[in-house]
């Protein structure tokens, strides 16, 4: 009903996220997390996918749908690991594989002669893990060729063996056309994306 009613208005873009109930939230005590709830959410999620695709929406990211040409330019920068600059108090920036945040205080931000930014201190592998984490949210997946070139790395035999194992079990789609190597999640893997991505990244962490 929600999808039918929403699409009657003809929006060019729809985000449909599965409800995550955080511990400490008032709703947390009312929701019993169990396998039945997970299966129920899974059924609703895949029903939403089918309905929205049937109405002409492109499922381009795990929780996002757009009419052709209306993908979110803003969020695509995040998911594609592209640089961006945040201006203003509390804004975040990302460039040269580093993340920075501005002071949350408006007075401090506008009163300082130099920008008050804080660099996000991370481990050496963090940018690479983030590239995989964000890129695999896109239904087109990621290019391992681009990843190796961008981070100036080689990938171990163990990493490829793990990909082959995940591919055989149907958790990822691994393709090598002789020019590029790509990996993406199959439709059935969207609902357990975090677990699959962690499995892929375990040999890098």
């Amino acid at each position: 009903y929600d999808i039918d009613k929403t699409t009657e208005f003809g929006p060019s873009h729809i985000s449909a996220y599965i409800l995550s109930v955080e511990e400490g939230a008032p709703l947390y005590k009312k929701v019993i997390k169990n396998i039945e709830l997970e299966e129920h959410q899974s059924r609703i999620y895949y029903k939403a996918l089918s309905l929205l695709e049937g109405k002409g929406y492109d499922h381009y990211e795990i929780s996002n749908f757009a009419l052709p040409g209306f993908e979110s330019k803003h969020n695509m920068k995040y998911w594609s690991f592209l640089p961006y600059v945040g201006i203003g108090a509390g804004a975040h920036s990302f460039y040269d594989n580093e993340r920075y945040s501005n002071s949350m205080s408006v007075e401090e931000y506008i009163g300082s002669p130099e920008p008050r930014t804080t660099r996000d201190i991370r481990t050496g592998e963090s940018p690479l893990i983030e590239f995989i984490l964000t890129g695999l949210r896109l239904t087109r997946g990621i290019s391992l060729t681009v990843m190796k070139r961008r981070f100036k790395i080689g990938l171990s035999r163990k990493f490829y063996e793990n990909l082959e194992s995940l591919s055989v079990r149907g958790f990822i789609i691994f393709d090598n056309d002789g020019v590029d190597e790509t990996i993406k999640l199959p439709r059935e893997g969207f609902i357990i994306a975090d677990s699959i991505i962690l499995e892929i990244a375990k040999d890098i962490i």
Side-chain angles (χ1 to χ4, degrees):
Y1 172 83
D2 288 343
I3 289 173
D4 286 340
K5 184 58 68 175
T6 299
T7 52
E8 282 180 12
F9 294 98
S12 57
H13 190 282
I14 294 175
S15 295
Y17 289 88
I18 294 175
L19 176 67
S20 296
V21 183
E22 301 298 330
E23 189 171 357
L27 185 61
Y28 186 82
K29 295 179 181 179
K30 298 180 181 180
V31 176
I32 300 174
K33 290 193 173 183
N34 55 36
I35 191 65
E36 289 184 6
L37 174 61
E38 292 178 1
E39 290 176 350
H40 178 62
Q41 287 185 312
S42 179
R43 286 194 298 272
I44 291 175
Y45 174 75
Y46 285 109
K47 182 65 174 178
L49 260 61
S50 297
L51 287 172
L52 287 167
E53 288 172 339
K55 292 176 180 291
Y57 288 86
D58 176 35
H59 181 213
Y60 72 99
E61 193 269 348
I62 288 178
S63 300
N64 285 273
F65 307 78
L67 295 178
F70 286 95
E71 295 81 5
S72 170
K73 292 182 179 179
H74 178 88
N75 285 346
M76 281 298 290
K77 291 184 76 70
Y78 301 148
W79 297 321
S80 301
F81 218 60
L82 296 174
Y84 54 87
V85 175
I87 299 173
H92 289 245
S93 302
F94 173 67
Y95 48 90
D96 291 337
N97 290 337
E98 297 289 348
R99 298 191 183 279
Y100 302 86
S101 59
N102 295 342
S103 169
M104 292 293 292
S105 167
V106 175
E107 291 78 10
E108 187 175 284
Y109 179 79
I110 64 176
S112 174
E114 296 293 333
R116 292 287 185 91
T117 61
T118 302
R119 178 171 170 265
D120 183 14
I121 305 299
R122 299 170 299 158
T123 62
E125 296 82 12
S126 291
L128 180 57
I129 301 299
E130 288 178 14
F131 180 88
I132 296 172
L133 178 67
T134 55
L136 282 180
R137 290 193 62 86
L138 295 170
T139 55
R140 71 186 185 197
I142 60 176
S143 164
L144 296 183
T145 307
V146 169
M147 186 176 80
K148 288 187 286 187
R149 184 168 61 244
R150 174 163 186 168
F151 294 98
K152 297 179 176 60
I153 60 167
L155 296 173
S156 67
R157 175 180 291 183
K158 185 177 180 181
F159 180 84
Y160 280 107
E161 288 175 349
N162 189 33
L163 289 186
E164 291 287 357
S165 174
L166 289 168
S167 179
V168 168
R169 288 181 284 158
F171 291 129
I172 66 165
I173 298 172
F174 178 33
D175 184 51
N176 184 349
D177 61 8
V179 177
D180 192 11
E181 297 175 318
T182 59
I183 55 174
K184 64 181 180 179
L185 297 178
R187 189 181 182 88
E188 299 77 15
F190 296 149
I191 199 75
I192 55 171
D194 289 347
S195 298
I196 296 174
I197 292 169
L198 181 62
E199 182 71 16
I200 292 171
K202 70 178 185 179
D203 294 322
I204 299 174
I205 297 174

